[in-house]
Amino acid sequence: MDTFKNLEIDPQITQILGDFNLPDELGFGTVMSPIMIEMDYADGKWGQMKLIPYRQLTLDPTAKVLHYGQEIFEGMKAYRANGNGPFLFRPLENIKRFNLSAKRMAMPEVDEELALEGLRAMVSFSKDLIPIQSEASLYIRPFMIATDIHLGMKPSETFKFMIVASPSQAYFKSDSVKVWIETDNIRAAEGGIGAAKTGGNYAASLLAMIAAKEKGYDQVLWLDAKNKVNIEEMSGMNFFAVYENNVIKTPKLTQTILHGVTRKSVIELAKHKGYQVEETSISYLELLKDIQSGKCTECFACGTAVIITPIKSLASESTTAQLANDYGNITKELRQELLDLQEGRSEDPFGWRLSV
Ligand code: COI
């Protein structure tokens, strides 16, 4: 059994986990592990980290998070496919990004080792709830909210850090998605908060997502706010396009794109497999033309929740382009390689897997 030297463990935890019945149908992010991590910040420092029974929060109606959106989160997974593991995948990458988000949103950073201990504890105690089918996992959601009770517009001085976890099946039911290129609304602008994983970025994407769904599309692809030309990201997913001659392109990182851990891993994996990866500006009009002419052969989205998800078509107000392959070979290969690594079926030359 792991030791968790910085963690106070509620004595009810073992019984609560023992009494918990995991439903057959999990869906994504619906069923929650009956335990959670909680840690409060006040007087300029973090208090004791605690593993406690999952419970409702009691918040004052004037808590700052409810009015001014001072909030950040992460998404990560623990894997136990075929009874291997459990494994966490590059957890420090997520913790570092959490702290970058914290900085941008004027919130306190968490100690990396302490956050890792909290994650390990959630995985270790929830071990028997982690599904063993490939592509299913324990989806883990660390997050932090501002809790000052005050309607004045100033940064909070008290915060709550929590980790909850959801035994989940794959995010998308369908194999490939239809994508709407949004040329009207924007997701994030230079100097804003696009690279921070904060709720406001996701809230900002919802209206366009509703409109895209009404038109028969599954996801929205965002363009740069200034010129509405270059492809950025897909709210919860980064974008990749596969070209002829083993070239793979993805939008270069800016302040307006979330720096995806899966994105980074796909780039490193693809390079390792001998593909030429270009982090570059991708004009959506060029891309649509390249798909129509057959120069671009596959497109996919990637993210922790969605793994690697093939794209079958992209459309904007003016043009539609259908990928020749709903689910191209390179997309398939990278997806399988990534899952094999995450789920512990392959060697891990990168040292990305952390056994819990
Ligand atoms: C993740 O991939 O973990 C995300 O944050 C996407 C989420 C909004 C479902």
Side-chain angles (χ1 to χ4, degrees), residues 122-346:
M122 279 301 285
V123 174
S124 182
F125 280 89
S126 306
K127 180 167 170 278
D128 294 337
L129 311 181
I130 307 179
I132 55 167
Q133 309 92 305
S134 179
E135 303 198 15
S137 60
L138 184 72
Y139 182 76
I140 308 167
R141 176 56 64 91
F143 64 113
M144 194 201 305
I145 57 171
T147 51
D148 268 16
I149 298 169
H150 187 238
L151 286 178
M153 180 46 215
K154 67 183 183 94
S156 188
E157 290 173 3
T158 58
F159 299 89
K160 191 180 273 297
F161 169 78
M162 288 163 278
I163 307 177
V164 295
S166 170
S168 290
Q169 287 160 322
Y171 191 80
F172 285 126
K173 289 197 187 79
S174 66
D175 271 345
S176 58
V177 291
K178 287 172 73 181
V179 169
W180 177 255
I181 301 172
E182 178 61 40
T183 49
D184 188 10
N185 284 297
I186 59 146
R187 174 187 171 275
E190 285 291 321
I193 54 172
K197 204 160 173 71
T198 181
N201 288 326
Y202 296 79
S205 74
L206 298 175
L207 191 61
M209 184 181 269
I210 293 168
K213 290 226 165 146
E214 279 168 5
K215 290 193 256 279
Y217 295 87
D218 306 300
Q219 289 294 319
V220 171
L221 181 60
W222 297 98
L223 302 176
D224 72 282
K226 202 165 174 190
N227 302 313
K228 299 197 179 145
V229 170
N230 289 326
I231 291 172
E232 300 230 306
E233 62 143 279
M234 294 172 64
S235 315
M237 288 163 251
N238 290 110
F239 176 82
F240 282 77
V242 180
Y243 275 71
E244 298 164 313
N245 304 320
N246 291 336
V247 173
I248 301 178
K249 296 188 188 182
T250 191
K252 66 168 186 275
L253 291 179
T254 62
Q255 286 177 5
T256 56
I257 297 180
L258 189 82
H259 299 194
V261 177
T262 312
R263 173 192 181 277
K264 183 173 178 179
S265 307
V266 167
I267 292 172
E268 291 170 51
L269 194 57
K271 285 184 177 163
H272 184 72
K273 302 289 302 170
Y275 294 103
Q276 183 188 325
V277 181
E278 293 176 12
E279 294 179 67
T280 180
S281 300
I282 306 175
S283 135
Y284 82 97
L285 291 166
E286 289 294 318
L287 176 82
L288 292 176
K289 254 194 262 156
D290 291 344
I291 294 172
Q292 283 157 349
S293 71
K295 273 199 215 162
C296 171
T297 52
E298 303 174 26
C299 291
F300 63 85
C302 75
T304 299
V306 303
I307 318 171
I308 287 178
T309 293
I311 293 171
K312 62 176 148 203
S313 64
L314 292 117
S316 69
E317 211 56 77
S318 57
T319 326
T320 301
Q322 186 84 29
L323 272 303
N325 273 321
D326 251 25
Y327 196 169
N329 288 336
I330 295 175
T331 306
K332 213 175 266 170
E333 178 197 5
L334 290 173
R335 186 177 203 280
Q336 197 54 53
E337 293 269 346
L338 182 64
L339 273 170
D340 286 347
L341 256 162
Q342 292 172 325
E343 296 181 345
R345 279 184 300 274
S346 62

Side-chain angles (χ1 to χ4, degrees), residues 97-130:
R97 188 174 65 183
F98 190 76
N99 280 337
L100 287 176
S101 300
K103 230 179 184 155
R104 180 64 183 88
M105 298 301 288
M107 301 172 90
E109 295 178 36
V110 289
D111 177 80
E112 288 181 7
E113 283 306 314
L114 187 64
L116 186 59
E117 185 170 326
L119 289 167
R120 283 197 298 106
M122 279 301 285
V123 174
S124 182
F125 280 89
S126 306
K127 180 167 170 278
D128 294 337
L129 311 181
I130 307 179

